[in-house]
């Protein structure tokens, strides 16, 4: 056999021998390997998941990371959620005091354990010898009774903790769950409770004092053990100095620092928002969208106005500020700093209250959007009764006819009710649903026409958001390629990094077009209103703002809502229990707060003109309608595109006058060559009755000359009662039936009018045509005849008020 074959045989034999030895060794040590495997598996899964299951407090921070408030954990402990990092000063202090070799050992320190064991066996003193890692394990095991078996379990689990976590993570766990006396758990909690500052702002003296507390939490009780606590702290500071971690000046200053004493109250910068977040994110640290500096300014403003309002027994108010374009909550004051007796715990912002007049801008925008109204179209402001409902303006007066934009800026009730009847109650109710008014949850007929005057309820949250939605719609249209977003009225957000979803881009408007919104906001920018109440010229130096006030029936709710290109501001003032108070109006109680809030906000420019949704057209100066051929004074104005479908001016007409222009004439009574043709602005008699005294420039239409045929002329009209209106006979306090006052408007001053009820003469009036009568219930024909023989008839139904 050659040498190669011999080597091959030798290798084969050697391989067989090696296999036999391995099999023999495995057989011999099989039990040991199985035991090691079991131990490894036990070690691998020795830590519970999660490591800590104790409930934590709810902590709310501002967008900048400053604490706004906190709520205690469910087990009654002030235990903040786990920290992200440990401040350098506390880290140096705790390592030097508890575990100097923390970054070297594998979870336990054999030297420290040996020293502790020897001392415990040979003396009466007890020494722990646990590392910070072991202490984390002990804390996770709820501080079970100490024993040598428990110590072995701690060491076993500590090595596993070291294998699965970084040193920084372990240190964070210790700082988050270590006890600091009483019901204070964790460094961050202790820092706020004992020093009133966040942990990252702790000084060396404060850090050293807190570093020694977990070792002996009982030292913290005020008035007790202060000398021992000071000695421990000072000894640690000396060690820090000797290790050259701090210099001599820092050391000497730290020695003079005060020890922790009576716990500080935690910040309550936004208590109602904190409570709101606690309900939705219990036990978590939540960074909100609230601007810390702005919130504190609003708190100051709220406090000052509360003390003033409280003199009139007005005890509650709320303020909400939104970023129009992101829909983030920037400031949230849920209630005034009032007393528990006055419901200071109630968060007013999300509670439904009577809306007063704050829904009027949405009706105005709806009419502009549909093209049924132009920005300054004259609307009727005369006595109105609809199915027994008779709205009144705040000043109890009537204007006859008034431009729609001015009616909105002056918050007139009668024009608003008449416009709602024109637009349609069901139709407007549907719009409010699309605008996300959740408090308006009954069918339209439940509210009736009073819907526009406060007959419905909504919250400051929904109302402010709806105004913000209009502003953001206009902003987005102007900064995009004339586009809209499908969900412009989405709910606001108050948790940082939870962005409002405005939906998809689209070329058509989902609710209101930008042109209609622009004109509405322009009307709301008027600052000199309401006439006859305060007539404020509100802060003419303030930045431009579109704003609206509202007052509920019985003076129970006062509103002021405003929007700029950047901010939406909502103010509510009143009593949480619904008690009304004199002077509790939007202008007097809420508007001053609105403008003081506005003054602390950054300045903004006014809204850009959305030309792509407007069209320039000729408008009648007098009526605000599209100009007709008879309108003499016109102007070119930008109106919403749909407005071109509206009616031309119905009030200008061509008339023929005598040469002196004092009488109307026609071919039946006057020579054609001598006639003068004029275009005349003529309002219906009832509108003219109230309009003319307020407008000296208004010229009533001249009478017809004697002998002229008067085809189709209407010289008078009933103010009360209206056509198809049932008259209810009211009773006074003595149960006597009050008189009914019939009222009529006549174009010609100092005219005599004769009144008849079913052909029975009932009286005569001159100049002011009002006639009081106490008729019996029934159906009658009411007739009025003037001295020239003009006659007006109307069927009226009279009934008693049923109890």
């Amino acid at each position: 056999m050659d040498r190669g074959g011999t080597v091959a045989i030798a290798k084969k034999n050697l391989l067989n021998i090696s296999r036999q030895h391995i099999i023999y060794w495995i057989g011999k040590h099989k039990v040991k390997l199985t035991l090691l495997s079991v131990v490894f598996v036990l070690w691998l899964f020795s830590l519970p998941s999660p490591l800590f299951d104790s409930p934590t407090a709810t902590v709310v921070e501002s967008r900048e990371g400053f604490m706004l408030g906190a709520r205690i954990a469910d087990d009654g402990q002030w235990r903040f959620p786990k920290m992200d990092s440990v401040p350098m000063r506390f880290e140096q202090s705790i390592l030097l005091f508890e575990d100097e070799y923390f970054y070297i050992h594998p979870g336990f320190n054999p030297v420290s354990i040996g020293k502790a064991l020897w001392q415990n066996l040979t003396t009466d003193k007890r020494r722990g010898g646990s590392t910070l890692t072991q202490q984390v394990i002990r804390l996770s095991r709820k501080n079970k009774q100490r024993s040598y078996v428990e110590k072995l379990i701690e060491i076993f689990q500590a090595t596993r903790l070291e294998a699965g976590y970084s040193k920084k993570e372990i240190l964070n766990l210790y700082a988050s769950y270590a006890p600091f006396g009483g019901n204070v758990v964790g460094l961050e909690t202790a820092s706020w409770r004992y020093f009133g500052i966040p942990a990252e702002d702790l000084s060396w003296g404060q850090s050293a004092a807190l570093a020694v507390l977990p070792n002996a939490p009982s030292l913290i009780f005020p008035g007790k053990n202060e000398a021992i606590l000071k000695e421990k702290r000072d000894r640690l500071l000396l060690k820090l100095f000797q290790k050259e971690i701090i210099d001599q000046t820092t050391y000497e200053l730290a020695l003079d620092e005060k020890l922790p004493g009576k716990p500080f109250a935690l910040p309550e910068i936004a208590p109602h928002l904190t409570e709101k977040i606690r309900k939705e994110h219990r036990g978590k640290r939540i960074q909100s969208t609230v601007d810390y500096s702005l919130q504190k300014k609003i708190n100051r403003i709220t406090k000052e106005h509360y003390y003033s309002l409280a003199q009139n027994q007005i005890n509650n108010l709320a303020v909400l500020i939104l970023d129009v374009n992101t829909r983030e909550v920037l400031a949230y004051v849920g209630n005034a700093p009032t007393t528990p007796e006055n419901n200071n715990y109630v968060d007013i912002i999300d509670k439904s209250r009577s809306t007063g007049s704050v829904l009027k801008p949405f009706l105005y925008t709806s009419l502009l959007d549909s093209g049924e109204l132009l920005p300054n179209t004259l609307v009727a402001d005369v006595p109105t009764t609809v199915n027994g409902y008779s709205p009144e303006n705040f000043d109890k007066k009537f204007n006859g006819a008034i431009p729609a934009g001015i009616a909105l800026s002056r918050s007139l009730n009668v024009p608003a009710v008449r416009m709602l009847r024109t637009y349609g109650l069901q139709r407007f109710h549907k719009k409010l649903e699309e605008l996300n008014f959740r408090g308006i949850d009954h069918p339209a007929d439940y509210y009736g026409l009073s819907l526009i005057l406060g007959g419905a309820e909504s919250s400051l949250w929904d109302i402010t958001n709806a105004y913000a939605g209009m502003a953001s719609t206009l902003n987005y249209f102007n900064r995009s390629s004339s586009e809209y977003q499908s969900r412009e009225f989405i709910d606001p957000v108050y948790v940082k990094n939870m962005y409002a979803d405005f939906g998809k881009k689209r070329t058509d408007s989902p609710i209101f077009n930008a042109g209609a919104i622009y004109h509405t906001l322009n009307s709301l920018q008027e600052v000199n209103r309401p006439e006859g109440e305060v007539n404020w010229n509100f802060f003419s130096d303030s930045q431009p703002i579109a704003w609206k006030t509202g007052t509920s029936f019985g003076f129970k709710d006062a509103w002021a809502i405003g929007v700029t290109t950047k901010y939406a501001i909502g103010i509510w003032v009143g009593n949480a229990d619904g008690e009304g108070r004199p002077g509790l109006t939007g202008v007097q109680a809420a508007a001053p707060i609105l403008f003081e809030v506005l003054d602390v906000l950054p300045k903004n420019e006014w809204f850009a003109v959305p030309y792509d949704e407007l069209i320039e057209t000729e408008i009648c100066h007098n009526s605000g309608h599209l100009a007709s051929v008879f309108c003499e004074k016109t102007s070119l104005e930008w109106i919403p595109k749909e407005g071109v479908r509206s009616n031309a001016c119905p009030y200008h007409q061509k008339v023929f006058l005598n040469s002196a222009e004092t009488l109307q004439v026609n071919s039946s009574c006057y020579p054609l060559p001598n006639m003068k043709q004029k275009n005349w602005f003529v309002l219906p008699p009832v509108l003219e009755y109230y309009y003319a005294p307020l407008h000296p420039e208004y010229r009533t239409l001249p009478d017809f000359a004697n002998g002229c045929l008067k085809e189709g002329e209407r010289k008078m009209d009933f103010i009360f009662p209206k056509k198809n209106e049932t008259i209810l006979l009211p009773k006074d306090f003595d149960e006597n039936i009050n008189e009914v006052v019939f009222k009529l408007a006549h174009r010609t001053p100092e005219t005599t009018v004769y009144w008849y009820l079913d052909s029975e003469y009932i009286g005569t009036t001159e100049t002011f045509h009002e006639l009081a009568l106490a008729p019996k219930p029934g159906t009658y024909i009411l007739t009025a005849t003037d001295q020239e023989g003009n006659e007006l008839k109307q069927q009226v139904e009279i009934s008693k008020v049923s109890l």
Side-chain angles (χ1 to χ4, degrees):
M1 184 180 296
D2 60 8
R3 181 176 178 83
T6 304
V7 171
I9 292 171
K11 285 183 177 180
K12 184 176 179 181
N13 292 334
L14 183 60
L15 182 60
N16 290 332
I17 293 170
S18 298
R19 287 175 178 171
Q20 291 171 2
H21 276 82
I22 292 172
I23 293 170
Y24 172 76
W25 188 90
I26 291 174
K28 183 176 180 180
H29 297 281
K30 186 175 182 180
V31 174
K32 292 182 180 179
L33 287 173
T34 302
L35 181 59
L36 285 173
S37 299
V38 171
V39 171
F40 176 76
V41 171
L42 289 174
W43 176 84
L44 189 63
F45 296 100
S46 62
L47 295 180
S49 181
L51 191 62
F52 291 90
D53 60 359
S54 301
T56 55
T58 305
V59 180
V60 179
E61 298 174 341
S62 70
R63 66 190 309 117
E64 304 89 352
F66 301 127
M67 186 186 292
L68 296 176
R71 294 294 179 266
I72 199 166
D74 291 343
D75 61 355
Q77 300 293 303
W78 278 112
R79 183 189 301 105
F80 284 9
K82 186 168 71 72
M83 299 179 67
D84 295 327
S85 62
V86 178
M88 180 273 293
R89 293 185 181 92
F90 182 79
E91 179 179 345
Q92 295 289 342
S93 300
I94 195 66
L95 293 183
L96 206 56
F97 185 76
E98 287 281 3
D99 193 353
E100 196 168 352
Y101 300 98
F102 175 72
Y103 283 105
I104 300 174
H105 63 65
F108 65 97
N109 188 333
V111 176
S112 296
I113 291 175
K115 288 180 179 180
L117 181 60
W118 177 255
Q119 181 174 314
N120 293 342
L121 291 174
T122 58
T123 67
D124 293 333
K125 296 181 179 180
R126 290 292 173 264
R127 179 173 176 175
S130 296
T131 63
L132 286 178
T133 311
Q134 288 176 259
Q135 291 184 50
V136 170
I137 295 298
R138 183 162 60 247
L139 291 171
S140 73
R141 292 173 61 78
K142 313 293 185 186
N143 285 309
K144 291 188 177 181
Q145 186 174 359
R146 298 190 181 190
S147 66
Y148 290 111
V149 173
E150 184 63 26
K151 181 66 70 174
L152 289 173
I153 294 174
E154 287 176 10
I155 293 172
F156 186 72
Q157 291 188 331
T159 58
R160 178 66 185 89
L161 187 63
E162 290 277 350
Y165 291 77
S166 69
K167 288 289 187 179
K168 290 291 185 182
E169 290 174 326
I170 294 171
L171 192 60
N172 287 348
L173 287 170
Y174 176 81
S176 299
Y177 293 99
F180 284 84
N183 66 344
V184 177
V185 178
L187 172 64
E188 185 71 18
T189 316
S191 178
W192 279 107
R193 293 291 280 162
Y194 297 137
F195 298 108
I197 57 175
E200 60 265 22
D201 292 343
L202 289 171
S203 66
W204 280 108
Q206 293 166 337
S207 297
L210 293 182
V212 303
L213 273 181
N215 186 263
S218 60
L219 297 180
I220 195 59
F221 290 105
K224 297 181 180 180
N225 305 317
E226 287 186 8
I228 301 174
L229 177 59
K230 180 171 173 46
E231 181 186 354
K232 282 177 172 284
R233 184 203 67 174
D234 292 353
R235 194 160 55 241
L236 175 56
L237 287 170
L238 177 60
K239 197 173 181 181
L240 287 165
F241 172 60
Q242 291 171 341
K243 292 281 187 180
E244 298 184 354
I245 297 173
I246 59 175
D247 58 29
Q248 184 169 351
T249 302
T250 304
Y251 169 62
E252 291 173 355
L253 291 173
L255 289 174
D256 291 333
E257 291 188 44
K258 292 183 178 180
L259 293 170
K262 183 179 179 180
F264 285 82
L266 291 172
E268 284 281 43
I269 310 298
H272 297 90
L273 179 62
T274 300
E275 185 62 23
K276 186 181 186 75
I277 290 176
R278 182 195 69 83
K279 294 175 181 177
E280 299 174 3
H281 304 278
R282 185 183 295 268
K284 295 182 180 179
R285 184 188 302 271
I286 298 296
Q287 192 169 10
S288 73
T289 59
V290 167
D291 183 299
Y292 185 79
S293 175
L294 178 60
Q295 179 72 26
K296 295 197 76 171
K297 290 176 184 177
I298 304 307
N299 285 350
R300 174 186 58 77
I301 292 171
T302 301
K303 188 175 182 180
E304 291 172 356
H305 281 272
Y306 161 69
Y307 288 134
S308 174
L309 292 164
Q311 304 302 312
N312 188 25
Q313 299 180 35
I314 301 172
N315 299 303
N316 306 99
L317 64 92
V319 181
L320 178 65
I321 303 178
L322 305 178
D323 184 306
V324 161
N325 299 311
T326 65
R327 210 58 52 83
E328 292 178 335
V329 174
L330 301 180
Y332 191 107
V333 178
N335 208 329
T338 185
T339 62
E341 292 76 15
N342 292 312
N343 307 298
N344 63 340
Y345 56 88
V346 176
D347 185 353
I348 302 291
I349 287 177
D350 58 9
K351 302 298 183 294
S352 290
R353 308 286 301 199
S354 171
T355 56
S357 297
V358 296
L359 300 182
K360 290 176 182 175
F362 304 108
L363 173 61
Y364 180 76
T365 311
S366 299
L367 285 159
L368 292 177
D369 181 77
S370 64
E372 297 167 65
L373 185 76
L374 299 185
N376 288 302
T377 297
L378 284 182
V379 292
D381 181 19
V382 295
T384 301
T385 301
V386 182
N387 297 327
Y389 173 58
S390 301
E392 291 182 327
N393 294 325
F394 192 86
D395 59 5
K396 311 293 184 184
K397 298 177 181 178
F398 299 98
N399 295 274
I402 188 168
I406 296 178
L408 174 64
S409 67
R410 288 175 53 188
S411 197
L412 298 179
N413 293 335
V414 174
V417 170
R418 296 178 71 98
M419 284 192 288
L420 177 56
R421 184 174 60 174
T422 299
Y423 185 74
L425 178 61
Q426 294 283 354
R427 197 171 159 206
F428 183 60
H429 184 270
K430 179 65 176 174
K431 281 284 187 187
L432 295 179
E433 287 182 358
E434 294 173 356
L435 293 171
N436 213 13
F437 280 99
R438 284 160 294 200
I440 304 177
D441 53 3
H442 293 288
D445 292 340
Y446 174 86
Y447 303 106
L449 295 176
S450 67
L451 171 66
I452 200 64
L453 303 183
E457 293 187 342
S458 190
S459 65
L460 186 63
W461 180 266
D462 286 349
I463 292 170
T464 308
N465 185 52
Y467 277 77
M470 288 212 296
S472 65
T473 299
L474 183 53
N475 284 341
Y476 186 80
F477 183 87
N478 283 326
R479 70 172 180 264
S480 67
S481 302
S482 300
E483 294 174 323
Y484 296 92
Q485 298 175 109
S486 60
R487 303 180 66 201
E488 201 64 69
F489 293 84
I490 189 69
D491 254 352
V493 295
Y494 47 84
V495 176
K496 192 174 180 180
N497 298 326
M498 289 184 64
Y499 304 104
D501 179 11
F502 290 98
K504 298 179 180 180
K505 294 181 180 181
R506 51 192 292 178
T507 56
D508 61 319
S509 59
I511 301 179
F512 297 135
N513 71 68
I517 293 173
Y518 177 76
H519 277 287
T520 299
L521 297 182
N522 267 351
S523 294
L524 293 176
Q525 195 188 1
E526 296 297 324
V527 296
N528 211 5
R529 66 189 192 277
E531 195 173 273
E533 185 173 325
V534 177
N535 203 29
W536 277 351
N537 188 5
F538 272 122
F539 306 99
S540 58
D541 59 341
S542 291
Q543 60 177 305
I545 183 173
W547 62 289
K548 182 74 185 72
T549 59
T551 305
S552 69
F553 180 78
F555 302 101
K556 297 179 180 180
D557 305 274
W559 302 86
I561 315 293
V563 288
T564 69
T565 52
K566 175 67 175 174
Y567 304 103
I569 309 165
I571 313 290
W572 175 91
V573 178
N575 286 309
D577 61 5
E579 179 186 356
R581 295 297 303 167
L584 183 53
T585 66
V587 168
Q588 290 179 292
I593 304 175
L594 171 71
F595 281 91
E596 196 164 339
V597 168
L598 180 65
D599 282 344
V600 303
L601 293 173
K603 303 291 184 183
N604 288 276
E605 298 297 325
W606 188 239
F607 296 94
V609 181
Y611 286 108
D612 286 350
E613 283 286 24
L614 300 174
I615 187 169
E616 193 175 28
T617 190
E618 198 171 10
I619 300 297
C620 176
H621 174 76
N622 295 93
S623 71
H625 282 273
L626 295 177
S628 73
V629 294
F630 302 123
C631 295
E632 292 193 330
K633 188 175 181 181
T634 64
S635 59
L636 287 174
E637 296 180 15
W638 291 93
I639 65 170
K641 286 182 176 180
E642 296 296 319
V644 296
R645 301 187 304 175
S646 62
N647 296 326
C649 175
Y651 301 126
H652 278 89
Q653 61 187 53
K654 182 184 293 185
V655 297
F656 296 93
L657 306 174
N658 61 10
S659 57
E661 299 185 5
T662 57
L663 294 170
Q664 289 189 75
V665 294
N666 53 40
S667 59
S668 68
C669 64
Y670 201 79
L672 285 174
N674 297 336
M675 288 184 191
K676 287 191 175 181
Q677 180 178 307
K678 284 276 186 177
N679 293 328
W680 207 281
F681 178 59
V682 184
L683 293 174
V686 175
L687 274 65
E688 182 182 88
Y689 178 82
Y690 293 97
Y691 182 88
L694 301 175
H695 296 269
E697 76 282 2
Y698 181 81
R699 297 170 58 198
T700 58
L701 193 64
D703 287 335
F704 273 93
N706 289 331
C708 287
L709 297 175
K710 310 167 189 177
E711 297 179 3
E713 183 191 23
R714 190 176 181 87
K715 299 196 67 173
M716 57 183 177
D717 205 350
F718 286 118
I719 297 174
F720 181 82
K722 283 295 184 183
K723 189 176 181 181
N724 301 323
E725 178 182 352
T726 299
I727 300 173
L728 301 177
L729 296 176
K731 293 183 179 180
D732 59 20
F733 290 110
D734 297 324
E735 293 297 312
N736 297 318
I737 294 177
N738 290 332
E739 293 180 325
V740 175
V741 178
F742 298 120
K743 196 170 183 179
L744 178 144
H746 200 290
R747 288 194 186 282
T748 306
E750 300 179 3
T751 299
T752 302
V753 174
Y754 305 94
W755 298 77
Y756 302 87
L757 200 62
D758 277 354
S759 302
E760 180 181 344
Y761 172 74
I762 55 176
T764 302
T765 58
E766 294 183 2
T767 308
F768 299 104
H769 305 292
E770 297 181 4
L771 182 69
L773 186 70
K776 295 180 180 180
T779 301
Y780 301 90
I781 298 296
L782 177 65
T783 305
T785 305
D786 67 10
Q787 63 191 33
E788 296 179 357
N790 296 303
E791 185 178 78
L792 193 64
K793 288 189 176 184
Q794 184 170 299
Q795 180 176 300
V796 295
E797 184 176 339
I798 300 174
S799 63
K800 289 183 179 180
V801 176
S802 58
L803 300 177

